[in-house]
Amino acid sequence: MKKNPARNVHLKKGPSKLLEEINSSIETDHRLYREDIQGSIAHTKMLANKKIISKNEGNAIVKGLNKILKKIETGKVSFKKELEDIHMNIESLLFKEIGITAGKLHTARSRNDQVVTDFKLWIKNNSKSLDKNIQQLQKNLINVSKKHLNTVLPGYTHLQIAQPISLAHHCLAYVEMFGRDRTRLNDCVNRLNENPLGSAALAGTSFPIDRNLTSKLLGFKKPTVNALDSVSDRDFAVEFIFVLSLLSLHLSRMAEEIIFWANSQFNFIDLPDDLATGSSIMPQKKNPDGAELVRGQSSLIIGNLSSLLIILKGLPLAYSKDLQEDKKLVFKSYDTVILSLKVMNELWLKIKFNSKNMLEAVNKSNATASDLADWIVQELDLSFREAYLLTGKIIAYANNNNKKLKDLSLTELKTFNRNISNSAKKVLSSVESIKNKTSFGGTSPQSVKKTIQYAIKKYL
């Protein structure tokens, strides 16, 4: 078929080059070819099962579609822009493959329900790969945690050193973060797992179709309830990009910390050479470009979410061509996130940690001040607010004398309260501070070991 089979014969002229340019989506939706053929095969089998088309016609269509799939995957097909989209391109190829019987395929369906079915199938299929990449990042973080139960790292609030934690504890925070991303992805897939095929243009069809059968053949849990909603619904696309946006936000936060840690003023990590770049004029530079690009690209995904919301906000029911833009936004967001995940996975496999510098950063701070306050509460029977004020006075004294809290002698500490004993000195150690945080979810090695086992069981 040389002409677009979807062009209505009452139109006296074909589309202008300008309309053809803006109307064509094949450059984007060619990625749906597997799902389009999958949906068409299921639809054909249902039509034959319900005797809407003959068994021989159904077999011919299915055989033709499988041949087309093989040709596409072996690079023997060139899609045509004048046919607008993947749906019309495949139908045109089917006419060439089996002749006039191909015209039976579009019985009891519309491009409206066809495209939304393909799109849902694509998200379902590709969510598996997305989940696998997130899981791999969790695995890499857990492996780092196993090796660094006792590696002291500054924990920050307001980007100021707050309390000592272990590197393992820090990594496991991201394991939980990405775990929530995986549950959101699963929820998204569960919600979209309803089959729109058979909704036709917007009103359903007068043919005696079996939507439960096509749902079963395509792996959907059930058919959608309202044909009008089915063809206009893009909530699932919004939710999918939202999941990608929040995931990319988490990757961006991680990238930000890697950038800080690699800074010479921190020097907590050595970046792998193959994931960093040099400078065009400063030969000493080692720039964390991989992490910076992950951080930067998250904004593009968040922008795509905003774009899709804005497209949808003004659309009446049911289908409008504006919806053609949804796939560009979803595909680009997905590709960006997958690449970012691969970069992050590679980084966590190759980063080298400078544990001495991490410990030194903690020791140069008064990060164990809250440990002293806790000791005062437990040992001197003061309220926490009294202990907090007392500790504050001790820190002020240390600062005025150019000392750190851990360097104060017992004699100096006793000037603030004569009941302070030598055991208070022990809690000022960053290593002891970490060991003492034994509460559920805390940073102590024994707590972290339990968290690792929990994470392995839950996520891996």
Side-chain angles (χ1 to χ4, degrees), residues 251-328:
L251 291 169
S252 180
R253 294 181 71 181
M254 174 182 278
E256 179 81 353
E257 292 193 319
I258 288 173
I259 292 162
F260 275 122
W261 290 354
N263 185 286
S264 59
Q265 293 174 309
F266 284 76
N267 199 22
F268 290 171
I269 60 172
D270 290 326
L271 288 172
D273 289 349
D274 56 351
L275 288 169
T277 65
S279 165
S280 62
I281 65 168
M282 295 168 284
Q284 84 282 6
K285 294 285 294 298
K286 187 175 184 180
N287 299 324
D289 284 13
E292 288 175 348
L293 288 166
V294 169
R295 181 180 61 181
Q297 290 185 349
S298 64
S299 64
L300 304 178
I301 300 167
I302 294 167
N304 289 342
L305 173 61
S306 178
S307 295
L308 184 54
L309 287 168
I310 292 168
I311 287 171
L312 292 172
K313 76 174 184 65
L315 295 187
L317 297 176
Y319 182 85
S320 297
K321 204 60 182 279
D322 313 49
L323 292 175
Q324 184 167 285
E325 303 303 314
D326 56 3
K327 287 166 287 298
K328 291 180 186 176

Coordinates of all heavy atoms in Angstrom, one line a residue, residues 251-328:
L251 N 19.2 9.5 42.2 CA 20.5 9.4 41.6 C 21.3 10.7 41.6 O 22.5 10.7 41.8 CB 20.3 8.9 40.1 CG 19.8 7.5 40.0 CD1 19.4 7.2 38.5 CD2 20.9 6.5 40.4
S252 N 20.5 11.8 41.5 CA 21.2 13.1 41.5 C 21.7 13.4 42.9 O 22.8 14.0 43.0 CB 20.1 14.2 41.1 OG 20.7 15.5 41.1
R253 N 21.0 13.1 43.9 CA 21.5 13.3 45.3 C 22.8 12.5 45.6 O 23.7 13.0 46.2 CB 20.4 12.9 46.3 CG 19.2 13.8 46.3 CD 18.2 13.4 47.3 NE 18.7 13.8 48.7 CZ 18.0 13.5 49.8 NH1 16.8 12.9 49.7 NH2 18.4 13.9 51.0
M254 N 22.7 11.2 45.1 CA 23.9 10.4 45.2 C 25.1 11.0 44.4 O 26.2 11.0 44.9 CB 23.6 9.0 44.7 CG 24.8 8.1 44.7 SD 24.3 6.4 44.0 CE 23.7 5.7 45.5
A255 N 24.8 11.5 43.2 CA 25.9 12.1 42.4 C 26.5 13.3 43.1 O 27.7 13.5 43.1 CB 25.3 12.4 41.0
E256 N 25.6 14.1 43.7 CA 26.1 15.3 44.4 C 27.1 14.9 45.5 O 28.1 15.5 45.7 CB 24.9 16.0 45.0 CG 25.2 17.2 45.8 CD 25.4 18.5 45.0 OE1 25.4 18.3 43.7 OE2 25.6 19.5 45.5
E257 N 26.8 13.8 46.2 CA 27.7 13.4 47.3 C 29.0 12.9 46.7 O 30.1 13.1 47.3 CB 27.0 12.4 48.2 CG 25.9 13.0 49.0 CD 25.3 12.1 50.1 OE1 25.2 10.9 49.9 OE2 25.1 12.7 51.2
I258 N 28.9 12.1 45.7 CA 30.1 11.6 45.0 C 31.0 12.8 44.6 O 32.2 12.8 44.7 CB 29.8 10.7 43.8 CG1 29.2 9.4 44.4 CG2 31.0 10.5 43.0 CD1 28.7 8.5 43.3
I259 N 30.4 13.8 44.0 CA 31.1 15.0 43.6 C 31.8 15.7 44.8 O 33.0 16.1 44.7 CB 30.1 16.0 42.9 CG1 29.7 15.4 41.6 CG2 30.8 17.4 42.7 CD1 28.4 16.1 41.0
F260 N 31.1 15.8 45.9 CA 31.7 16.4 47.1 C 32.8 15.5 47.6 O 33.9 16.0 47.9 CB 30.7 16.5 48.2 CG 29.9 17.8 48.2 CD1 28.5 17.8 48.1 CD2 30.5 19.0 48.2 CE1 27.7 18.9 48.0 CE2 29.8 20.2 48.2 CZ 28.4 20.2 48.1
W261 N 32.6 14.2 47.7 CA 33.6 13.3 48.3 C 34.9 13.3 47.4 O 36.0 13.1 47.9 CB 33.1 11.9 48.3 CG 32.0 11.7 49.4 CD1 31.5 12.6 50.3 CD2 31.2 10.5 49.6 NE1 30.6 12.0 51.1 CE2 30.3 10.7 50.7 CE3 31.2 9.3 49.0 CZ2 29.5 9.8 51.1 CZ3 30.3 8.3 49.4 CH2 29.5 8.6 50.5
A262 N 34.7 13.5 46.1 CA 35.9 13.5 45.2 C 36.6 14.8 45.2 O 37.8 14.9 44.7 CB 35.4 13.2 43.8
N263 N 36.0 15.9 45.8 CA 36.7 17.2 45.8 C 37.9 17.1 46.7 O 37.9 16.4 47.7 CB 35.7 18.2 46.4 CG 36.2 19.6 46.4 OD1 37.1 19.9 47.2 ND2 35.7 20.4 45.5
S264 N 39.0 17.8 46.3 CA 40.3 17.7 47.0 C 40.2 18.2 48.4 O 41.0 17.8 49.3 CB 41.3 18.5 46.2 OG 41.0 19.8 46.1
Q265 N 39.2 19.0 48.7 CA 39.0 19.5 50.1 C 38.4 18.4 51.0 O 38.5 18.5 52.2 CB 38.2 20.8 50.1 CG 39.0 22.0 49.5 CD 38.1 23.2 49.3 OE1 37.0 23.1 48.8 NE2 38.6 24.3 49.8
F266 N 37.7 17.5 50.4 CA 37.2 16.3 51.1 C 38.1 15.1 51.0 O 38.6 14.6 51.9 CB 35.8 15.9 50.6 CG 34.7 16.8 51.0 CD1 34.5 18.1 50.4 CD2 33.8 16.4 51.9 CE1 33.5 18.9 50.7 CE2 32.7 17.2 52.3 CZ 32.6 18.5 51.7
N267 N 38.4 14.8 49.7 CA 39.3 13.7 49.4 C 38.9 12.4 50.1 O 39.8 11.7 50.6 CB 40.8 14.1 49.7 CG 41.8 13.2 49.0 OD1 41.5 12.5 48.0 ND2 43.0 13.1 49.5
F268 N 37.6 12.1 50.1 CA 37.1 10.9 50.7 C 37.2 9.7 49.7 O 37.2 8.5 50.2 CB 35.7 11.0 51.1 CG 35.5 11.9 52.3 CD1 34.2 12.3 52.7 CD2 36.5 12.4 53.0 CE1 33.9 13.1 53.7 CE2 36.3 13.3 54.1 CZ 35.0 13.6 54.5
I269 N 37.2 10.0 48.4 CA 37.2 8.9 47.4 C 38.2 9.2 46.3 O 38.5 10.4 46.0 CB 35.8 8.6 46.8 CG1 35.3 9.9 46.1 CG2 34.9 8.1 47.9 CD1 34.0 9.7 45.4
D270 N 38.6 8.2 45.6 CA 39.3 8.3 44.3 C 38.4 7.8 43.2 O 38.0 6.7 43.3 CB 40.6 7.5 44.3 CG 41.7 8.1 45.3 OD1 41.7 9.3 45.4 OD2 42.4 7.3 45.9
L271 N 38.1 8.7 42.3 CA 37.2 8.3 41.2 C 38.0 7.5 40.2 O 39.2 7.7 40.0 CB 36.7 9.5 40.5 CG 35.6 10.3 41.2 CD1 35.4 11.6 40.4 CD2 34.4 9.5 41.3
P272 N 37.4 6.5 39.5 CA 38.0 5.7 38.5 C 38.3 6.7 37.3 O 37.5 7.5 36.9 CB 37.0 4.7 38.1 CG 35.7 5.2 38.5 CD 36.0 6.1 39.7
D273 N 39.5 6.5 36.7 CA 40.0 7.4 35.6 C 39.0 7.4 34.5 O 38.8 8.4 33.8 CB 41.4 7.0 35.2 CG 42.4 7.3 36.2 OD1 42.1 8.1 37.1 OD2 43.6 6.9 36.0
D274 N 38.4 6.2 34.2 CA 37.6 6.1 33.0 C 36.2 6.6 33.2 O 35.4 6.6 32.3 CB 37.5 4.6 32.6 CG 37.0 3.6 33.6 OD1 36.9 4.1 34.8 OD2 36.7 2.5 33.3
L275 N 35.9 7.1 34.4 CA 34.6 7.8 34.6 C 34.8 9.2 35.1 O 34.0 9.8 35.8 CB 33.8 7.0 35.7 CG 33.2 5.7 35.1 CD1 32.6 4.9 36.2 CD2 32.1 6.0 34.0
A276 N 36.0 9.8 34.8 CA 36.3 11.2 35.1 C 37.0 11.8 33.8 O 37.4 11.0 32.9 CB 37.3 11.3 36.3
T277 N 37.2 13.1 33.8 CA 37.8 13.7 32.7 C 38.9 14.7 33.2 O 38.9 15.0 34.4 CB 36.8 14.5 31.8 OG1 36.3 15.6 32.6 CG2 35.7 13.6 31.3
G278 N 39.7 15.1 32.3 CA 40.7 16.1 32.6 C 40.3 17.5 32.1 O 39.2 17.7 31.7
S279 N 41.2 18.5 32.3 CA 40.9 19.8 31.9 C 41.7 20.1 30.6 O 42.7 19.6 30.4 CB 41.3 20.8 33.0 OG 41.3 22.1 32.5
S280 N 41.1 21.1 29.8 CA 41.8 21.4 28.6 C 43.1 22.3 28.9 O 44.0 22.3 28.0 CB 40.9 22.2 27.7 OG 40.4 23.4 28.3
I281 N 43.1 22.9 30.0 CA 44.3 23.8 30.3 C 44.9 23.5 31.7 O 46.0 24.0 32.0 CB 44.0 25.3 30.2 CG1 42.9 25.7 31.3 CG2 43.5 25.7 28.8 CD1 42.8 27.2 31.5
M282 N 44.2 22.7 32.5 CA 44.8 22.5 33.9 C 45.1 21.0 34.0 O 44.2 20.2 34.3 CB 43.8 22.9 34.9 CG 43.5 24.5 34.9 SD 42.1 25.0 35.9 CE 40.7 24.5 34.8
P283 N 46.3 20.6 33.8 CA 46.6 19.2 33.8 C 46.4 18.4 35.1 O 46.4 17.2 35.1 CB 48.1 19.2 33.3 CG 48.6 20.5 33.7 CD 47.5 21.5 33.6
Q284 N 46.3 19.1 36.2 CA 46.2 18.5 37.5 C 44.7 18.0 37.8 O 44.5 17.3 38.7 CB 46.6 19.4 38.6 CG 45.6 20.4 39.1 CD 45.4 21.6 38.2 OE1 45.9 21.7 37.1 NE2 44.6 22.6 38.7
K285 N 43.8 18.5 36.9 CA 42.4 18.3 37.2 C 41.9 16.9 37.0 O 42.3 16.2 36.0 CB 41.5 19.3 36.4 CG 41.7 20.8 36.7 CD 41.0 21.1 38.0 CE 39.5 21.0 38.0 NZ 38.8 21.8 37.0
K286 N 41.0 16.4 37.8 CA 40.2 15.2 37.6 C 38.8 15.5 37.9 O 38.4 15.5 39.0 CB 40.8 14.1 38.5 CG 40.2 12.7 38.2 CD 40.9 11.6 39.0 CE 40.4 10.2 38.7 NZ 41.0 9.2 39.5
N287 N 38.0 15.7 36.8 CA 36.7 16.2 37.0 C 35.7 15.0 37.0 O 35.7 14.1 36.2 CB 36.3 17.1 35.8 CG 37.2 18.3 35.7 OD1 37.6 18.8 36.7 ND2 37.5 18.7 34.5
P288 N 34.7 15.1 38.0 CA 33.7 14.0 38.1 C 32.6 14.1 37.1 O 31.4 14.2 37.5 CB 33.2 14.2 39.6 CG 33.3 15.7 39.8 CD 34.5 16.1 39.0
D289 N 32.9 14.1 35.8 CA 31.9 14.4 34.8 C 30.7 13.4 34.8 O 29.6 13.8 34.6 CB 32.5 14.5 33.4 CG 33.3 15.7 33.2 OD1 33.5 16.5 34.2 OD2 33.7 16.0 32.0
G290 N 31.1 12.1 35.0 CA 30.0 11.1 35.0 C 28.9 11.4 36.0 O 27.7 11.5 35.7
A291 N 29.4 11.7 37.3 CA 28.4 12.0 38.3 C 27.7 13.4 38.0 O 26.5 13.5 38.3 CB 29.1 12.1 39.7
E292 N 28.4 14.3 37.5 CA 27.8 15.6 37.2 C 26.7 15.5 36.2 O 25.7 16.2 36.2 CB 28.9 16.6 36.8 CG 29.8 17.1 37.9 CD 30.9 18.0 37.4 OE1 31.2 18.1 36.2 OE2 31.6 18.6 38.3
L293 N 27.0 14.7 35.2 CA 26.0 14.5 34.1 C 24.7 13.8 34.6 O 23.6 14.1 34.2 CB 26.6 13.8 32.9 CG 27.6 14.6 32.1 CD1 28.4 13.8 31.2 CD2 26.8 15.7 31.3
V294 N 24.9 12.8 35.5 CA 23.8 12.2 36.2 C 23.0 13.2 36.9 O 21.7 13.2 36.9 CB 24.2 11.0 37.1 CG1 23.1 10.5 38.0 CG2 24.8 9.9 36.3
R295 N 23.7 14.1 37.6 CA 23.0 15.1 38.4 C 22.2 16.1 37.5 O 21.1 16.4 37.7 CB 24.0 15.9 39.2 CG 23.4 17.0 40.1 CD 24.5 17.7 40.9 NE 25.5 18.3 40.0 CZ 26.6 19.0 40.4 NH1 26.8 19.1 41.8 NH2 27.4 19.6 39.6
G296 N 22.9 16.4 36.4 CA 22.2 17.4 35.5 C 21.1 16.8 34.7 O 20.1 17.5 34.5
Q297 N 21.2 15.5 34.3 CA 20.1 15.0 33.5 C 18.8 14.7 34.2 O 17.8 14.5 33.6 CB 20.7 13.7 32.8 CG 21.7 14.0 31.7 CD 22.2 12.8 31.0 OE1 21.9 11.6 31.3 NE2 22.9 13.0 29.9
S298 N 18.9 14.7 35.5 CA 17.7 14.5 36.3 C 16.7 15.6 36.0 O 15.5 15.4 36.0 CB 18.0 14.4 37.8 OG 18.6 15.6 38.3
S299 N 17.3 16.8 35.8 CA 16.4 18.0 35.5 C 15.6 17.8 34.2 O 14.5 18.3 34.1 CB 17.2 19.3 35.4 OG 18.1 19.2 34.3
L300 N 16.2 17.1 33.2 CA 15.5 16.8 32.0 C 14.3 15.9 32.2 O 13.2 16.2 31.6 CB 16.4 16.2 31.0 CG 17.7 17.0 30.7 CD1 18.6 16.2 29.7 CD2 17.4 18.3 30.1
I301 N 14.4 14.9 33.0 CA 13.3 14.0 33.3 C 12.2 14.7 34.1 O 11.0 14.6 33.8 CB 13.8 12.8 34.1 CG1 14.9 12.1 33.3 CG2 12.7 11.8 34.4 CD1 15.7 11.1 34.0
I302 N 12.6 15.5 35.1 CA 11.6 16.3 35.8 C 10.9 17.2 34.8 O 9.6 17.4 34.9 CB 12.3 17.1 37.0 CG1 12.8 16.1 38.0 CG2 11.3 18.0 37.6 CD1 13.8 16.7 39.0
G303 N 11.6 17.8 33.9 CA 11.0 18.7 32.9 C 10.0 17.9 32.0 O 8.9 18.4 31.6
N304 N 10.3 16.7 31.7 CA 9.4 15.8 30.9 C 8.1 15.5 31.6 O 7.1 15.5 31.0 CB 10.1 14.5 30.5 CG 11.2 14.8 29.4 OD1 11.3 15.8 28.8 ND2 12.1 13.8 29.3
L305 N 8.2 15.3 32.9 CA 7.0 15.1 33.7 C 6.1 16.3 33.6 O 4.9 16.2 33.4 CB 7.4 14.8 35.1 CG 6.3 14.7 36.2 CD1 5.3 13.6 35.8 CD2 6.8 14.5 37.6
S306 N 6.7 17.5 33.8 CA 6.0 18.7 33.7 C 5.3 18.9 32.4 O 4.2 19.3 32.3 CB 6.9 19.9 34.1 OG 6.2 21.1 34.0
S307 N 6.1 18.6 31.3 CA 5.6 18.7 30.0 C 4.3 17.8 29.7 O 3.3 18.3 29.1 CB 6.6 18.4 28.9 OG 7.7 19.3 29.0
L308 N 4.4 16.6 30.2 CA 3.3 15.7 30.0 C 2.0 16.2 30.8 O 0.9 16.1 30.3 CB 3.6 14.3 30.4 CG 2.6 13.2 30.1 CD1 2.1 13.2 28.6 CD2 3.1 11.8 30.4
L309 N 2.2 16.6 32.0 CA 1.1 17.1 32.8 C 0.5 18.3 32.1 O -0.8 18.4 32.0 CB 1.6 17.6 34.1 CG 2.0 16.4 35.1 CD1 2.7 17.0 36.3 CD2 0.7 15.7 35.6
I310 N 1.3 19.2 31.5 CA 0.8 20.4 30.8 C 0.0 20.0 29.5 O -1.0 20.5 29.2 CB 1.9 21.4 30.5 CG1 2.4 21.9 31.8 CG2 1.4 22.5 29.6 CD1 3.7 22.7 31.7
I311 N 0.5 19.0 28.8 CA -0.2 18.5 27.6 C -1.6 18.0 28.0 O -2.6 18.3 27.3 CB 0.6 17.3 26.9 CG1 1.9 17.9 26.2 CG2 -0.2 16.6 25.9 CD1 2.8 16.9 25.7
L312 N -1.7 17.2 29.1 CA -2.9 16.6 29.5 C -3.9 17.5 30.1 O -5.1 17.3 30.0 CB -2.6 15.4 30.4 CG -1.9 14.2 29.9 CD1 -1.5 13.3 31.0 CD2 -2.7 13.5 28.9
K313 N -3.5 18.6 30.7 CA -4.4 19.4 31.5 C -5.5 20.0 30.7 O -6.6 20.3 31.3 CB -3.6 20.5 32.3 CG -3.2 21.7 31.4 CD -2.6 22.7 32.3 CE -2.2 23.9 31.4 NZ -3.4 24.6 30.9
G314 N -5.3 20.3 29.4 CA -6.3 21.0 28.6 C -7.1 20.1 27.7 O -7.8 20.6 26.8
L315 N -6.9 18.8 27.8 CA -7.5 17.9 26.7 C -8.9 17.4 27.1 O -9.1 16.8 28.2 CB -6.6 16.7 26.5 CG -5.3 17.0 25.9 CD1 -4.6 15.6 25.5 CD2 -5.3 17.8 24.6
P316 N -9.9 17.6 26.3 CA -11.2 17.0 26.5 C -11.2 15.6 26.1 O -10.3 15.1 25.5 CB -12.1 17.8 25.6 CG -11.2 18.2 24.4 CD -9.8 18.4 25.0
L317 N -12.2 14.8 26.6 CA -12.3 13.4 26.2 C -12.7 13.3 24.7 O -13.5 14.2 24.2 CB -13.3 12.7 27.0 CG -13.0 12.6 28.5 CD1 -14.2 12.0 29.3 CD2 -11.7 11.8 28.8
A318 N -12.2 12.4 23.8 CA -11.4 11.3 24.3 C -10.0 11.5 23.8 O -9.1 12.0 24.5 CB -11.9 10.0 23.8
Y319 N -9.7 11.2 22.5 CA -8.4 11.3 21.9 C -8.1 12.6 21.2 O -9.0 13.1 20.5 CB -8.1 10.1 21.0 CG -6.7 10.1 20.5 CD1 -5.7 9.5 21.2 CD2 -6.4 10.7 19.2 CE1 -4.3 9.5 20.7 CE2 -5.1 10.7 18.8 CZ -4.1 10.1 19.5 OH -2.8 10.2 19.0
S320 N -7.0 13.2 21.4 CA -6.5 14.3 20.6 C -5.1 14.0 20.2 O -4.3 13.3 20.9 CB -6.5 15.6 21.4 OG -7.9 15.9 21.8
K321 N -4.6 14.6 19.1 CA -3.3 14.3 18.6 C -2.2 14.8 19.5 O -1.0 14.3 19.4 CB -3.1 14.9 17.2 CG -2.1 14.2 16.3 CD -2.4 12.7 16.1 CE -1.4 11.9 15.3 NZ -1.5 12.1 13.8
D322 N -2.5 15.7 20.4 CA -1.5 16.1 21.4 C -0.9 14.9 22.1 O 0.3 14.9 22.5 CB -2.2 17.0 22.5 CG -3.1 18.1 22.0 OD1 -3.9 17.8 21.1 OD2 -2.9 19.2 22.4
L323 N -1.7 13.9 22.3 CA -1.3 12.7 23.0 C -0.1 12.0 22.3 O 0.6 11.1 22.9 CB -2.4 11.7 23.2 CG -3.5 12.2 24.2 CD1 -4.7 11.2 24.2 CD2 -3.0 12.4 25.6
Q324 N 0.1 12.3 21.1 CA 1.2 11.7 20.3 C 2.6 12.0 21.0 O 3.5 11.3 20.8 CB 1.2 12.2 18.9 CG 2.3 11.6 18.0 CD 2.0 11.9 16.5 OE1 1.1 11.3 15.9 NE2 2.7 12.8 16.0
E325 N 2.6 13.2 21.7 CA 3.9 13.6 22.3 C 4.2 12.8 23.5 O 5.4 12.9 24.0 CB 3.8 15.1 22.7 CG 3.4 16.0 21.5 CD 4.4 15.9 20.3 OE1 5.6 15.9 20.6 OE2 4.0 15.8 19.2
D326 N 3.3 12.0 24.1 CA 3.6 11.3 25.3 C 4.8 10.3 25.2 O 5.6 10.2 26.1 CB 2.3 10.6 25.8 CG 1.7 9.6 24.8 OD1 2.3 9.4 23.7 OD2 0.7 9.0 25.1
K327 N 4.8 9.7 24.1 CA 5.9 8.6 23.9 C 7.3 9.3 23.8 O 8.2 8.7 24.3 CB 5.6 7.8 22.7 CG 4.4 6.8 23.0 CD 3.8 6.2 21.7 CE 3.0 7.2 20.9 NZ 1.8 7.7 21.6
K328 N 7.4 10.4 23.2 CA 8.7 11.1 23.1 C 9.2 11.3 24.5 O 10.4 11.1 24.9 CB 8.6 12.4 22.4 CG 8.3 12.3 20.9 CD 8.2 13.8 20.3 CE 7.8 13.7 18.9 NZ 7.6 15.1 18.3

